[in-house]
Amino acid sequence: VLVDMDASEQKMRHLAAVISDRFTRVWEYREIRPMLSATLILAAIPRDLTEDDLMLLSDGELPPGTSGQILEGADLTLLKRSADIEEALARGISEYNIETYYRPVYDWKKRSIFAAEAVMFLHDKKLGDLWQEDFLSIALESGSLDTLVDIVIREISLFLGSGIPTEMGLTHISITIPAAQCMQPTFLSGIWDRVTRYNVKPSQIYIAIQDIFQVQDREVLGEVLRGLHEIGFQIMLDQYGVGDSGLRSLNFYPYDAVSIDMESISAEAKPEVHREILLNSIQMLNALNHKILVKGVRFEQQLRIIEETDIAYIEGPLFSDVVSQQEFLTILRATDMSRQEEKKARAQSEAKSSFLANMSHDMRTPMNAIIGYANIATSNFDNPSIVRDSLNKIGSSSHFLLSLIFIFL
């Protein structure tokens, strides 16, 4: 921390540029010639930052992509926000304010919930409510992600271990984990211990791998993912097409499923090519026999594009918001009741069809007899014996038909 109480802003900006430039060249110490990197914070106190802010930022984790830069102005707002979130994470872990929410995943062909995505939710007294998208990368940088994964795995395992979700047709729950976290030495053994501790089958949990492009050693990540596969976990490539999450990744890592994020495609593509990108991606993934989950479906026009494809699974705000465990159970119960009612109605319809078919067959015999003997009697008016016999048989057939009507109706 370099503080100059008398210097002008122009002088401090020049000094920052000189220091930053020096770090672009090799340093020399005896026989060592290291290449070092420095990120500089240029701020006026207290206009931009307080002294407490400055000390916190100096000791905290830097946002990705800021190494070697001079941070000032709007950059400081982002940096301070990151530091605030890091503090909120520490509070959330110590005060047990991390909660697991669920985003329902639908079997599009059956029009019913079959799985869920677990989403971490942080309740903080200072920053308010934060979703995992707000703090996942910061948790990875600060080293607290392992604790968060432990919390969400425990919550998922307790939920699945109760047996209630499975009874209501839920096949699995997915959890999003950055690829860099999978590279931790104890990740594989740790996640196995967490799941088996709660008597949950690994196949009930999908590991959605995110940010593949940040991994330097693909061989090591491949070994980890194959290890997860061998002990029964299912692997999903999250956000196909973002960064390095493309064909090269599909060919190298053992994925069971692939997710496509509608929001990412919409953000990166012009509206006129949005549809073509989605259709071509789905066609290619189907050809490779990958299960496909389309995420982030918000609008009816997006759904109309999806309906042109052979998509199996879908999720997004158009169908359901992210909900608490209790709310998710309520949705599952309602879905299960609807499924049971549909099953009951189908059984009743089948029984009715069978009943009508049997009734039609049983009633056809006496009806044919009545019509036949009526024709015989009409054709033999001059033969009283034949007419009498025909009328007797018409009478017995009529009584038999009447008894059938009483039975069926």
Side-chain angles (χ1 to χ4, degrees):
V1 178
L2 178 62
V3 179
D4 191 329
M5 303 299 293
D6 301 318
S8 65
E9 186 171 332
Q10 182 179 0
K11 178 182 177 182
M12 294 304 291
R13 180 169 279 106
H14 173 73
L15 182 58
V18 171
I19 295 173
S20 180
D21 178 69
R22 179 61 188 86
F23 277 90
T24 63
R25 301 189 300 278
V26 173
W27 295 78
E28 294 186 15
Y29 178 73
R30 296 182 180 177
E31 297 180 356
I32 303 174
R33 303 182 75 248
M35 190 72 185
L36 304 177
S37 177
T39 299
L40 282 73
I41 298 174
L42 181 61
I45 299 175
R47 185 194 68 190
D48 300 327
L49 299 172
T50 66
E51 291 185 17
D52 289 340
D53 288 336
L54 185 59
M55 297 308 295
L56 179 63
L57 296 179
S58 299
D59 191 45
E61 297 290 335
L62 293 171
T66 59
S67 179
Q69 296 183 12
I70 301 175
L71 304 181
E72 59 176 317
D75 295 330
L76 298 182
T77 302
L78 175 63
L79 193 59
K80 189 175 183 305
R81 175 69 175 174
S82 298
D84 289 341
I85 291 176
E86 188 177 338
E87 277 194 322
L89 278 172
R91 285 194 298 270
I93 291 170
S94 64
E95 298 172 6
Y96 304 100
N97 286 331
I98 309 291
E99 187 176 358
T100 301
Y101 273 53
Y102 297 91
R103 182 181 283 117
V105 177
Y106 294 82
D107 185 321
W108 185 236
K109 294 178 180 178
K110 296 180 179 178
R111 300 299 197 271
S112 63
I113 297 174
F114 92 109
E117 178 186 0
V119 180
M120 286 178 276
F121 192 66
L122 170 62
H123 304 279
D124 186 65
K125 56 190 176 185
K126 182 178 177 181
L127 300 183
D129 294 333
L130 301 172
W131 292 106
Q132 71 177 29
E133 289 84 357
D134 299 320
F135 58 78
L136 208 59
S137 61
I138 296 172
L140 177 63
E141 293 291 332
S142 65
S144 61
L145 185 56
D146 190 58
T147 303
L148 295 181
V149 170
D150 186 61
I151 291 171
V152 72
I153 288 290
R154 183 179 68 244
E155 293 297 318
I156 290 173
S157 299
L158 288 171
F159 187 37
L160 290 171
S162 69
I164 298 175
T166 306
E167 290 174 5
M168 295 182 181
L170 202 73
T171 62
H172 68 267
I173 296 176
S174 68
I175 172 176
T176 301
I177 299 179
Q181 181 67 18
C182 299
M183 304 287 284
Q184 299 298 318
T186 59
F187 174 76
L188 190 58
S189 59
I191 199 168
W192 168 255
D193 290 341
R194 291 161 185 153
V195 172
T196 54
R197 188 186 312 158
Y198 299 102
N199 198 30
V200 172
K201 296 178 181 178
S203 59
Q204 292 178 280
I205 297 179
Y206 261 74
I207 308 296
I209 307 298
Q210 191 179 67
D211 298 335
I212 293 289
F213 62 91
Q214 292 186 359
V215 172
Q216 300 296 323
D217 196 331
R218 297 172 61 209
E219 295 290 341
V220 173
L221 180 60
E223 289 179 11
V224 172
L225 298 188
R226 284 187 286 273
L228 287 169
H229 237 212
E230 289 172 4
I231 59 180
F233 288 98
Q234 305 291 304
I235 311 296
M236 178 187 290
L237 171 62
D238 194 42
Q239 296 182 336
Y240 170 78
V242 176
D244 193 36
S245 304
L247 269 177
R248 186 172 63 173
S249 178
L250 286 175
N251 292 329
F252 193 81
Y253 301 116
Y255 298 118
D256 300 283
V258 177
S259 77
I260 298 175
D261 193 336
M262 293 291 285
E263 293 183 5
S264 296
I265 294 177
S266 299
E268 295 183 7
K270 297 179 180 179
E272 58 269 22
V273 298
H274 180 192
R275 176 179 173 276
E276 295 304 319
I277 291 176
L278 181 63
L279 294 179
N280 289 335
S281 297
I282 291 172
Q283 183 180 10
M284 184 195 67
L285 292 171
N286 276 330
L288 294 173
N289 295 318
H290 284 294
K291 297 176 184 177
I292 304 171
L293 166 64
V294 176
K295 303 169 64 174
V297 181
R298 286 184 179 276
F299 309 110
E300 289 288 346
Q301 56 265 38
Q302 293 176 328
L303 185 59
R304 285 195 289 271
I305 296 174
I306 292 170
E307 288 175 338
E308 300 179 38
T309 70
D310 191 29
I311 280 295
Y313 311 118
I314 193 168
E315 71 168 45
L318 184 62
F319 308 102
S320 175
D321 291 326
V322 178
V323 295
S324 67
Q325 180 174 302
Q326 192 57 47
E327 291 170 323
F328 185 51
L329 277 174
T330 300
I331 294 173
L332 282 178
R333 288 192 181 98
T335 304
D336 186 56
M337 288 177 62
S338 176
R339 190 186 298 114
Q340 294 300 327
E341 288 296 324
E342 183 181 348
K343 185 177 179 181
K344 182 179 177 181
R346 192 183 305 115
Q348 289 176 341
S349 176
E350 291 173 356
K352 183 178 179 181
S353 298
S354 177
F355 164 77
L356 291 174
N358 292 333
M359 183 178 72
S360 174
H361 178 269
D362 291 342
M363 294 180 70
R364 194 179 297 120
T365 301
M367 285 291 292
N368 287 336
I370 292 169
I371 294 169
Y373 284 113
N375 288 331
I376 291 173
T378 302
S379 302
N380 293 276
F381 279 140
D382 57 344
N383 192 330
S385 176
I386 293 177
V387 171
R388 189 181 305 108
D389 181 63
S390 296
L391 290 175
N392 287 335
K393 289 178 178 177
I394 287 173
S396 61
S397 295
S398 298
H399 283 96
F400 181 56
L401 177 60
L402 185 61
S403 67
L404 287 176
I405 292 173
F406 283 138
I407 291 171
F408 286 129
L409 303 179

